[in-house]
Structure formats: C-alpha cells, structure tokens
Amino acid sequence: MGTLQSLISFITLLFLLLLLVHCGESTQPPFSCDSSNPSTKSYTFCKTSLPITERVRDLVSRLTLDEKISQLVNSAPPIPRLGIPGYEWWSEALHGVANAGLGITFNGTIPAATSFPQVILTAASFDAHLWYRIGQAIGTEARAVYNAGQAKGMTFWAPNINIFRDPRWGRGQETPGEDPLVTGKYAVAYVRGVQGDSYDGGKLEDGHHLQASACCKHFTAYDLDDWKGVNRFVFDARVTQQDLADTYQPPFESCRQEGRASGIMCAYNRVNGVPSCADYNLLSKTARGQWGFQGYITSDCDAVSIIYEKQGYAKTPEDAVVDVLKAGMDVDCGSYLQKHTQKAVEQKKLRVSEIDRALHNIFSVRMRLGLFDGNPVQQPFGNIGPDKVCSIEHQDLALEAARNGIVLLKNSDRLLPLSQTTTMSLAVIGPNADSSKTLLGNYAGLPCKSVTPLAGLQRYVKNVIHHPGCNAVNCSSAAIEEAVKIAKGVNYVVLIMGLDQTQERESHDRLHLVLPGKQQKLITSVARAAKKPVVLVLLSGGPVDISSAKRDKKIGSILWAGYPGESGGTALAEIIFGDHNPGGRLPVTWYPEEFVKIPMTDMRMRSEPSSGYPGRTYRFYKGEKVFEFGYGLSYSNYAYNFSSVRQRKFHFQLNQPSKATQTPEAKLVSELGEKLCEGKKFSVTIGIKNNGKMAGKHPILLFTRKEKPSNGSPVKQLVGFQSVKLNAGESAEVGFMLSPCEHLSRANEVGLMVIEPGLHFLVVGDEEYPVSISI
C-alpha cells in the first residue's frame, strides 16, 4: 500500500513538473539554435559569426524535399530533427499590433496593444516624424509580444501603400491617401520605425538584425475589392505605363529603396493580364533587379490558388505553383504550394533550385529577426518586456496622432471652440457617438483602452444628453422626433455621424458617396431645431459628399475624425472645447456623389476631355470637388511667403537628342545623368507666421504646377511637406531641397521621366514663385 502511495505521489509530482514545463514553454518565445542542445554546435546555420547567406545555404542543404516544400506556406511547420520550431508568417500591425492574423494572441500576460488611429487619419497630420514614432512603438510592442511567448512570428504584413484612387474603395482607410509622395514617405517612416532603423535611415543594412519585419502591400495597382460584381480575385487592372511610373509604383520603390522593407506582398489582381504573384517582370525584374530587394515576397491569402481556380491564367494547379515560384514569390499565404509543389517537381515543370531560391529568402529574414541565434532573451531586443506594451508613452502617442490628424472642414462665425465655462448643456446625437468599435477601423487589435466621442465630451460638460438618432450606422430608421426634442432643450448639439465597417471594409466597396440611410435627414432636422448652429463630426475612412452640410448655415462647424483609435474621443473633445488647435489636412480629394457614374474599374489617372472622363485624384481630376486634397482649417490663421529660392532659372544641355520622348523639347531624365541632376538641386525657404491667438501645429504643403500643363502632366504636384509648431504670433522658416530632375519632371506615355522647357510655379497656400527651365 505504501509502495502504491509512493508511486501515485511520484506520478502526481511528475505530472505537475510536466505541467510547469509546458506552461513555461507556452510563455517561451520560439527560436532555433538552443545553446543547451549539444547538436546545434555542429550546425553551420547556428554559427552567428558567419554571414547569413552562408548560414542559410547550410540550413537549406540539410532539408529533404518534403521539408523544403513544407516551409513555403505562411503556417510553416516545425522541423524537429534540426531543432527548428514552427513559424507563422501572417501577423498584422497596420495601426497597432493586432490579432487579425494567425501569428499574435492576446491571451497571456499581454491582453492588448496600443491602437493608433487608422492610417488615413494619421496621414492627415502630414508629419513623417510622427509616422516614424508610431512605427517605432508598433515595432517595440511587437517584439514585446514575441518575448512574452504570444507571437508565432515576427513578420507583419503592413503598411498598405496602395494609392487611394477611387473614393468608394473599402480599404482606402488603410492607406495614407491618394498622393504617391505622401504614401511613399509614410511607407519609409513606418518601415524604418517598425524594423528598428533610425529616422533618417542607414542604421540597418540588409543583413542586420530586425526588431520586427515590415511588409509593403499590395504590389501592385490594387484598389478595388468588390464593386458591382467585379471582385479583386478576378479583376484585371488595365494600367498605362505612364500611370504605373508616376502613381502606382513610386510608393513601393520608396518602401524598398529608402525604407529597406524586408517584405513585399503581391496582390490578388492581375495587371494588364498577368497575375501580380506570377509576374516575373514585377517581382524579379523590378523589385529584385531594379530596386535591389533582398527580402521575402508573400502572396496575399489564397492568391496562388485563384490563378488557376478563378482567373484561369494557369491550366493546372501545378502550373500555378510553377508560375509564382519562377516569378520570384517565396511564401504562399495558403496551402496551395504545400499541396501541389511535389507534383510539379515530379512532372519536371519545376526545378528544386527554384524552391531553394525561395527558401533562401525565407530563412534569411527569419535569421535577420534573430530567430536562429539562440535564446532571444540574450539577443539585442531580448530586454523588451510587457511593460512596453500599452505604456503611457505609447498611449500618449496614440492621442497625439488623433489630435494632429483630425481635420476642421468648416467653422462659420468661429463657432468652435465651444466655451468650457458657458456651455451648460450639450446634446450628443448620432450612431457613432458611443461606439468603441467604430473608433478603431479595420485590422485593429484589442486596444489598451477606449474613449468614445460621448465619453470624451462628458469630461467637459456635466449635463450631456445622448441619443443614437439612428438604429445603426446604416440608419435604415431614424428617431428624428426624439432627437429634435433633445436638440431644442440644450445649449449646443454635436452630431457624430459617418460610416463604419458595415459601410466600407475589405471585400466591400461603396456604391455611393452620400451618408447612408436617413443620416442626412436626421442632421438637417436636428440642425433646424437647435438653438444655435450645430457641430457635425464625421467618422469615416473614405470621403463623403456632405455638400448640403457645407452650405447649410445651421451647421456651423464640421470635423472629419477618420477612425481615430483608442483615444479618439479624447482628441475630438479637446478640439471641440479648445484644448487643442486642429491642424490636420485632407489626404484625399472629397468628390461629389455624381463621381459614382465613373466605373471603379477604370484605372486611368489622367482626364480625357473628349470622352468626359474627369481623371482621378487632385493631380489629374478636373471636376467639381466637395473638398480639395490638402484642405484643412485651424483656429489660427497662417500666412506664408517665399523667403528665399536659391535659383529660379535652370538650363539643361545635351549633345545627343533624347530617345523615347513625345516632343523634341523633352529630355529623358535618365540621359541627364546623376551628376548633372545633383548639381541642379536648389533650396527653397518658406516663411510662415501664426496670426491667430492659439498655438498650433501646422503642415506646410509645397506644390509645383506648370504654367501650361500638357501631355498628361499633373494639374499640380506635391513635392514636399513639413509640420511646424508655432505659438500665437510666432514666425518660423522651413526649408525644402528640390531637384528639377525629380520635382519638375513628368512621366511620358511609355513610363519614362522627362523634363521639358517652360515656366513652372512653386505653390504654398495662395503664394506662388516662378521657376523656368530651358533646354
């Protein structure tokens, strides 16, 4: 009996020990090359003193064909005999570390992460340093989650740097807007921050350790999800070489060459007949060849399967596998490569060397993340603990981003800011007034906290009456009589209206630009009944046609707040009651409802007057606008002047005539040479003064325009932007460095950059400065 009891006690103790070991493992971040494992000492791929290329070559040489194929998918299984754990490539961090992919969980010591504003609102700050700091915070929190054992991978599929070409696009909210320069600058700042580079770059080279891996998506010309029966899986984007050169490709080039992103995602759609993930010219010739990309290329999820199953581009599943691997893709988000690669090899359609090429890219990135360097606690980012997630510093940064992105669109008779001392009662009406979910937008994780607009406003006014006004954001039914009754009995009314993810999201593009359902009727009715002009707040990613509200004298102020993140309600209330001076500016054009007559499938950027096609984005659109790109008011008035421009006349001389130009005067920039272009750079200094009574942060946007636009040149083009803080009455000077070869050139019809003689203008606000080019 005593022996049996001892045996039971021993088994119980053993079970408890195993349980403790299991629990310890669950919080242990996965890694290879454990120094406590004697066998790892013999593996060349574990020797950190060797170059990564040599270590990867050794690792790949040890793998069987089955093991090689198993690693080509996003959920890569472990290889126990080599001590290599499983790896999940798919994690998301669009505007904060999120559990939207398969790699991150919030079920341990870290239950949430900082949720920054949706990207479209952050872009409205036009502040690249802010974007970098957000990237830094996200990268730090990502590594902390990994160190806590709650991440199965460190590759994050963000940023989304597609151009917000059409206002109906459900995913436009994820992007920095419609301008290629802004989108490229955002990509560079975000990627450098996430990966652990310095703000100016140069700290990380392609072989250095990454804090986390960023991935620029969706390559390329992807900006339609599901519109009138046309979906992203079958859509063939017909894009001119001219539009590719100066609109769709530049953000990706910047993301790679300046940001040095370690990942690229190829898109679902075809471009000019070829699926993006099967396009050798796109992935290998352009990204790897011209831009020197050395990271990994992943498909969007199930994008390989649709090449055969939906697009019919490949004749068999094996052909689809061959097409993407030969094109230069490395990781399949899905299972198609796992299922069909073996057969493709057996059919002699695919060489094993093509698989090895992909594996080299895959394992190089995992090694750069330090996942083959032994215990990560002893590595450069091993001391980043759970206290770095949802830190006060990061939460303050989320609030700062919301404050600086919110755009004041209208402020008649200086209705805003409302007085904190005389506002005794306030009605807060609208379906978005008290929705925590709406604040976040899509691809959001679990936020550290959530402050709705209602909660934010309640901190300023004791007597707040709230009513949703609508049954939901779609506002299929509206309680107009109740809302009107409330509006009549208070000092001021704030209407919190707009969109949410039921109206715009991935796989769902809008059909209309006006507010949904009975929202407009509710707004008009409440505004008529209120004692004083009302404040209208719009939460949305895409633009909304609010022309009637813009004209309505009973609507005194309009604010666009995007999807402002976890602290959005605080930021909004601070602006409404004057504790923050709004300075955001629209990163997209706001079009009238009639724009929906234009097919969303028409990818042309440039207008075509002969057919009535108006063009797209501020650079080419020639129709009516509700609000312009870059528009935004403030509680202060700012005055500009050109303090100095180093040079106003530029002469270019070539001994040989240019080739591939449409006019004899145009010269190919590539023929001018780097030395000549470098020597023509010139500085521009802009003076700015805050003539208001409040301190403010103000973005300065510098444009160029041609006196006589021709041959598809933009109406105007943003060439630089900076954000500056000024106290009331304070002046400052801001400098820009411009290059005629870059900033005064245009793309010709075959996609080559050319420079032409003629008069150009530098434009800031209402001020213009002439610059002439002769050839």
Side-chain angles (χ1 to χ4, degrees):
M1 191 71 174
T3 304
L4 180 61
Q5 188 68 42
S6 298
L7 183 60
I8 292 172
S9 298
F10 175 76
I11 292 171
T12 303
L13 180 62
L14 183 62
F15 173 79
L16 290 171
L17 285 170
L18 288 171
L19 185 64
L20 285 170
V21 169
H22 174 74
C23 291
E25 286 177 348
S26 68
T27 58
Q28 174 75 46
F31 65 93
S32 303
C33 302
D34 187 348
S35 59
S36 65
N37 183 351
S39 65
T40 63
K41 294 180 180 178
S42 65
Y43 295 150
T44 299
F45 68 80
C46 288
K47 295 179 180 178
T48 58
S49 60
L50 295 176
I52 284 178
T53 51
E54 189 173 335
R55 296 171 66 192
V56 170
R57 194 181 307 116
D58 174 72
L59 192 162
V60 173
S61 72
R62 295 174 185 271
L63 301 180
T64 66
L65 180 59
D66 284 346
E67 288 170 337
K68 288 179 178 181
I69 292 171
S70 76
Q71 299 298 301
L72 297 175
V73 293
N74 63 289
S75 299
I79 307 173
R81 69 182 184 87
L82 296 177
I84 299 173
Y87 186 83
E88 179 55 59
W89 287 89
W90 180 16
S91 294
E92 300 287 354
L94 180 68
H95 52 107
V97 178
N99 54 351
L102 301 179
I104 300 294
T105 58
F106 288 128
N107 59 358
T109 57
I110 299 174
T114 308
S115 189
F116 294 93
Q118 182 59 291
V119 177
I120 193 68
L121 185 71
T122 300
S125 68
F126 286 87
D127 184 347
H129 197 264
L130 173 67
W131 305 337
Y132 171 75
R133 289 160 59 211
I134 290 172
Q136 274 188 312
I138 291 172
T140 299
E141 294 197 2
R143 182 60 74 159
V145 171
Y146 169 77
N147 288 343
Q150 292 175 228
K152 293 184 285 184
M154 284 292 292
T155 38
F156 293 86
W157 291 352
N160 180 340
I161 56 170
N162 295 116
I163 295 298
F164 198 168
R165 171 189 61 93
D166 191 289
R168 293 162 285 187
W169 187 31
R171 300 188 72 177
Q173 58 181 293
E174 302 174 27
T175 76
E178 69 182 33
D179 182 73
L181 176 71
V182 172
T183 303
K185 294 288 186 186
Y186 179 88
V188 171
Y190 174 92
V191 168
R192 285 175 176 170
V194 166
Q195 296 193 160
D197 206 344
S198 61
Y199 173 71
D200 292 319
K203 178 181 173 184
L204 286 182
E205 295 300 327
D206 283 325
H208 284 59
H209 274 138
L210 301 167
Q211 177 175 245
S213 170
C215 173
C216 293
K217 64 182 187 184
H218 310 80
F219 196 42
T220 188
Y222 165 66
D223 50 21
L224 178 150
D225 268 61
D226 194 346
W227 178 80
K228 292 189 175 183
V230 180
N231 66 48
R232 56 187 175 167
F233 307 124
V234 299
F235 180 50
D236 184 6
R238 293 290 169 172
V239 187
T240 67
Q241 293 302 310
Q242 191 174 30
D243 287 342
L244 275 173
D246 72 359
T247 298
Y248 296 108
Q249 296 291 66
F252 288 96
E253 184 175 3
S254 296
C255 194
R256 157 54 211 159
Q257 293 196 317
E258 295 177 63
R260 307 193 82 81
S262 49
I264 290 175
M265 176 186 285
C266 49
Y268 288 117
N269 57 286
R270 288 169 287 170
V271 177
N272 299 328
V274 183
S276 294
C277 293
D279 191 337
Y280 177 85
N281 286 331
L282 188 66
L283 306 187
S284 291
K285 191 174 178 181
T286 300
R288 296 197 187 280
Q290 294 177 18
W291 300 345
F293 178 65
Q294 296 180 23
Y296 76 99
I297 298 177
T298 180
S299 75
D300 207 336
C301 293
D302 295 321
V304 179
S305 67
I306 68 171
I307 291 173
Y308 166 67
E309 294 174 3
K310 293 186 182 294
Q311 296 173 349
Y313 181 83
K315 294 181 180 179
T316 67
E318 293 74 30
D319 288 341
V321 167
V322 173
D323 287 344
V324 297
L325 286 174
K326 285 189 174 182
M329 197 197 80
D330 306 308
V331 175
D332 171 20
C333 181
S335 57
Y336 224 61
L337 262 63
Q338 210 165 43
K339 292 176 181 177
H340 301 291
T341 303
Q342 175 83 40
K343 197 170 180 182
V345 172
E346 291 172 357
Q347 293 173 352
K348 300 191 183 305
K349 291 181 176 180
L350 182 72
R351 297 191 304 270
V352 176
S353 60
E354 295 288 357
I355 300 173
D356 291 349
R357 176 206 57 75
L359 292 173
H360 180 91
N361 295 325
I362 287 169
F363 283 111
S364 291
V365 171
R366 287 175 66 173
M367 286 188 183
R368 289 190 65 197
L369 286 164
L371 306 184
F372 283 78
D373 294 352
N375 193 331
V377 174
Q378 301 164 8
Q379 304 308 320
F381 303 107
N383 62 346
I384 300 176
D387 61 312
K388 298 296 184 182
V389 182
C390 289
S391 65
I392 297 298
E393 179 187 357
H394 291 176
Q395 292 189 57
D396 286 347
L397 182 60
L399 174 58
E400 179 186 342
R403 285 172 180 153
N404 293 337
I406 292 173
V407 182
L408 180 63
L409 296 173
K410 178 181 179 180
N411 198 25
S412 300
D413 299 323
R414 294 191 175 274
L415 173 63
L416 293 181
L418 300 182
S419 170
Q420 297 184 29
T421 56
T422 63
T423 304
M424 306 308 295
S425 59
L426 184 71
V428 181
I429 298 171
N432 279 331
D434 198 30
S435 173
S436 299
K437 189 175 182 181
T438 302
L439 292 174
L440 304 181
N442 68 351
Y443 280 94
L446 301 176
C448 312
K449 61 182 180 185
S450 183
V451 183
T452 66
L454 175 63
L457 292 166
Q458 285 173 331
R459 295 175 181 176
Y460 284 89
V461 182
K462 289 183 179 179
N463 183 14
V464 173
I465 302 172
H466 167 240
H467 196 286
C470 298
N471 60 318
V473 168
N474 68 7
C475 207
S476 57
S477 65
I480 293 176
E481 288 185 13
E482 293 176 41
V484 164
K485 185 178 179 181
I486 292 169
K488 288 179 177 179
V490 295
N491 294 141
Y492 290 99
V493 177
V494 177
L495 288 151
I496 316 286
M497 313 300 285
L499 310 176
D500 67 0
Q501 300 308 299
T502 68
Q503 305 300 304
E504 54 175 354
R505 65 182 183 276
E506 186 170 8
S507 300
H508 183 83
D509 300 322
R510 286 188 287 160
L511 294 177
H512 298 283
L513 299 180
V514 292
L515 288 167
K518 297 179 180 178
Q519 280 198 38
Q520 186 58 58
K521 186 176 180 181
L522 175 66
I523 292 168
T524 303
S525 300
V526 169
R528 285 175 183 169
K531 295 176 182 178
K532 298 174 182 177
V534 302
V535 178
L536 173 61
V537 176
L538 297 171
L539 299 188
S540 72
V544 182
D545 182 356
I546 51 166
S547 300
S548 61
K550 182 181 176 182
R551 294 189 299 264
D552 193 338
K553 293 182 179 179
K554 291 290 289 179
I555 299 172
S557 299
I558 304 174
L559 288 159
W560 174 69
Y563 296 122
E566 64 176 37
S567 295
T570 300
L572 190 59
E574 287 179 348
I575 287 172
I576 289 173
F577 281 97
D579 280 336
H580 183 78
N581 191 352
R585 306 181 74 167
L586 293 178
V588 290
T589 302
W590 283 34
Y591 302 87
E593 169 66 12
E594 66 179 20
F595 189 85
V596 301
K597 296 176 183 177
I598 305 301
M600 199 173 169
T601 50
D602 194 326
M603 300 293 290
R604 290 177 296 166
M605 299 303 298
R606 289 156 168 85
S607 64
E608 188 181 75
S610 61
S611 66
Y613 183 69
R616 295 177 180 274
T617 78
Y618 81 95
R619 296 163 64 229
F620 303 106
Y621 177 65
K622 294 181 179 179
E624 294 294 321
K625 307 177 189 72
V626 180
F627 293 108
E628 290 190 331
F629 170 90
Y631 179 80
L633 304 174
S634 170
Y635 297 152
S636 297
N637 294 315
Y638 295 91
Y640 306 103
N641 69 282
F642 284 95
S643 300
S644 70
V645 178
R646 198 195 74 184
Q647 195 169 343
R648 62 189 302 167
K649 292 184 179 181
F650 298 90
H651 181 71
F652 291 89
Q653 183 171 345
L654 286 176
N655 294 326
Q656 297 293 329
S658 288
K659 302 174 183 177
T661 60
Q662 279 65 49
T663 60
E665 300 87 0
K667 303 299 178 185
L668 288 173
V669 170
S670 60
E671 292 181 355
L672 297 177
E674 288 186 20
K675 186 176 180 180
L676 179 58
C677 286
E678 187 70 24
K680 297 291 185 181
K681 285 185 176 180
F682 65 103
S683 60
V684 177
T685 304
I686 294 171
I688 178 172
K689 183 177 181 181
N690 180 350
N691 288 323
K693 296 179 180 179
M694 289 182 67
K697 188 175 182 183
H698 184 70
I700 301 169
L701 309 187
L702 178 62
F703 296 89
T704 62
R705 70 172 183 87
K706 286 185 70 175
E707 182 185 33
K708 298 177 181 179
S710 60
N711 300 315
S713 58
V715 176
K716 65 176 181 178
Q717 172 74 53
L718 186 70
V719 294
F721 58 92
Q722 292 187 45
S723 187
V724 60
K725 291 181 180 178
L726 292 173
N727 291 322
E730 186 179 7
S731 299
E733 290 189 338
V734 176
F736 295 88
M737 184 63 69
L738 300 184
S739 166
C741 295
E742 179 181 355
H743 300 114
L744 302 180
S745 61
R746 67 169 183 88
N748 67 9
E749 283 79 352
V750 294
L752 300 175
M753 301 307 293
V754 297
I755 194 162
E756 298 169 309
L759 187 62
H760 296 251
F761 290 94
L762 306 179
V763 183
V764 59
D766 294 328
E767 299 293 314
E768 293 192 343
Y769 191 93
V771 174
S772 65
I773 292 178
S774 60
I775 297 177

